[in-house]
Amino acid sequence: MGYAPAWALATIAGILLIAFPLMLGVAMIIYADRKIWAAMALRKGPNVVGPFGLLQSFADGLKVFLQETIIPSAANKALFLIAPIVTFTVALLAWAVIPFNSGAILADINVGLLYVLAISSLGVYGTVMAGWASNSKYPFFSAMRASAQMISYEVSIGFILICVVLWAGTFNLDGIVQAQKSHVWIINGFVANPLLFPMWVMFLISGMAETGRAPFDLTEAESELVAGYQTEYSSMSFALYWLGEYANVLLMCALNATLFWGGYLPPLDLPFLYFIPGTMISLGFFWLFLKILFFFFIFSWVKATVPRYRYDQLMRLGWKVFLPLSLFFVFLVSGYLMATHHFCDADQTLYSDAGQYARMQSSGVCK
């Protein structure tokens, strides 16, 4: 087999190796979400379909698949059908640059973090297209509200990530994970850093707003908008929005783990935590999976306990609190790094090439 066919086959296999477990994971976290809510409300939750109700999500998926797809007569049919496909596809594309273990990454690009920001911002289009193409008042109002909400919190997320990039010295996600090794004593993760811990808290809250999760689910406020921008959708087109939302939630959980909590690294930089004792089998997948589950529990916990914000409160938090705070921390973090000559003393492996490291060492900054 030539290089081009082998490369194409390997890429397709890598995509399927990520997409299939992700789809299974989305189905299971919907079940987990419902069980967590039920436990917090002293209810049982799904417990009939399959052992312990584990097949409930698959039964719901089959029910939705067998329903009729209804398209409003006044809707723009092409955009109406394309919108949920855009949302679902964009939710999957960002996983291409998430490092699941050292070297276990589909696209190990130098600008992985910029890629994630670019792809996540495209999710706005699926929402806006749905609201406009439905030709209905409430979905249109919800789409405008959702686009304003997502764009507002993407601004603060951008400044938060600048702090991470400044400290790690790279946009590569695997490089960011490696920069968190023994960051504070033997603790792996930027979250142990007093300057970056507030950034993680803001990133977690902004991630909830970005994905439209409670208490920021203003795009689906039933009392005001019936059901939000997907009101006119049914059957699999509705299911694609549902799956896309949970895929985005899982992505935010993975980004929390990767950018602030050490990703596939163990919590502590101790040799026996990196491999299964007596073998050379890495535990990286296990640690990342455990951290994703932890953050998903936080997402569900907040949804079950925190009341919904008003829209003016949502906008005020994003523009008047998070934006100035994140901008202030950009100056604070960069000033601290410059004052302590962090860039001069950093390991050469944090830079993309030896020339860049040499330029930093010989620049006036290091003097």
Side-chain angles (χ1 to χ4, degrees), residues 150 166 215-216 314 322 327 362:
M150 294 170 76
L166 284 171
F216 307 109
L314 172 76
F322 281 4
L327 190 56
S362 61

Side-chain angles (χ1 to χ4, degrees), residues 26-277:
V26 166
M28 296 316 298
I29 65 163
I30 294 174
Y31 164 80
D33 220 6
R34 296 173 66 182
K35 292 295 280 188
I36 292 170
W37 301 342
M40 292 190 176
L42 299 180
R43 296 183 288 108
K44 289 185 178 296
N47 65 340
V48 175
V49 184
F52 308 106
L54 287 171
L55 300 179
Q56 183 64 57
S57 295
F58 301 99
D60 292 340
L62 179 63
K63 178 185 71 174
V64 172
F65 180 76
L66 296 176
Q67 288 176 345
E68 179 185 1
T69 300
I70 300 173
I71 303 176
S73 57
N76 184 315
K77 293 180 175 57
L79 291 179
F80 186 84
L81 293 175
I82 290 173
I85 298 173
V86 170
T87 299
F88 180 69
T89 305
V90 166
L92 297 182
L93 287 175
W95 285 88
V97 295
I98 299 296
F100 296 95
N101 206 339
S102 180
I105 179 172
L106 182 62
D108 192 13
I109 57 178
N110 288 334
V111 290
L113 192 55
L114 291 179
Y115 171 84
V116 171
L117 284 174
I119 289 297
S120 61
S121 65
L122 293 177
V124 179
Y125 288 101
T127 301
V128 173
M129 287 166 61
W132 186 84
S134 296
N135 197 23
S136 178
K137 294 184 181 66
Y138 290 120
F140 184 63
F141 291 154
S142 176
M144 290 192 296
R145 178 183 284 189
S147 59
Q149 174 178 330
M150 294 170 76
I151 292 170
S152 298
Y153 281 86
E154 279 174 3
V155 176
S156 58
I157 284 177
F159 285 119
I160 291 168
L161 297 184
I162 286 175
C163 298
V164 175
V165 171
L166 284 171
W167 213 293
T170 179
F171 281 97
N172 181 276
L173 288 176
D174 194 39
I176 291 174
V177 172
Q178 290 298 327
Q180 298 176 61
K181 191 173 182 180
S182 297
H183 184 66
V184 176
W185 191 40
I186 61 170
I187 302 175
N188 294 329
F190 285 145
V191 73
N193 188 320
L195 287 177
L196 293 181
F197 178 78
M199 294 293 94
W200 167 68
V201 174
M202 285 195 285
F203 183 80
L204 177 67
I205 298 172
S206 297
M208 293 179 184
E210 178 75 10
T211 53
R213 293 280 293 190
F216 307 109
D217 54 341
L218 276 301
T219 59
E220 302 173 11
E222 296 89 349
S223 59
E224 308 144 36
L225 299 170
V226 185
Y229 52 86
Q230 73 272 36
T231 298
E232 302 294 344
Y233 282 89
S234 60
S235 186
M236 281 306 295
S237 55
F238 173 80
L240 286 178
Y241 274 116
W242 191 248
L243 295 173
E245 177 185 334
Y246 275 92
N248 278 324
V249 169
L250 275 182
L251 175 64
M252 277 298 169
C253 294
L255 287 176
N256 271 280
T258 301
L259 297 174
F260 292 95
W261 287 73
Y264 53 79
L265 298 176
L268 301 176
D269 188 23
L270 300 175
F272 66 88
L273 295 178
Y274 285 89
F275 300 97
I276 296 177

Side-chain angles (χ1 to χ4, degrees), residues 337-345 356-367:
L337 295 177
M338 293 290 286
T340 56
H341 288 217
H342 172 82
F343 301 108
C344 310
D345 301 331
Q356 182 184 0
Y357 180 71
R359 287 192 295 273
M360 286 299 303
Q361 292 291 338
S362 61
S363 66
V365 173
C366 295
K367 298 175 183 178

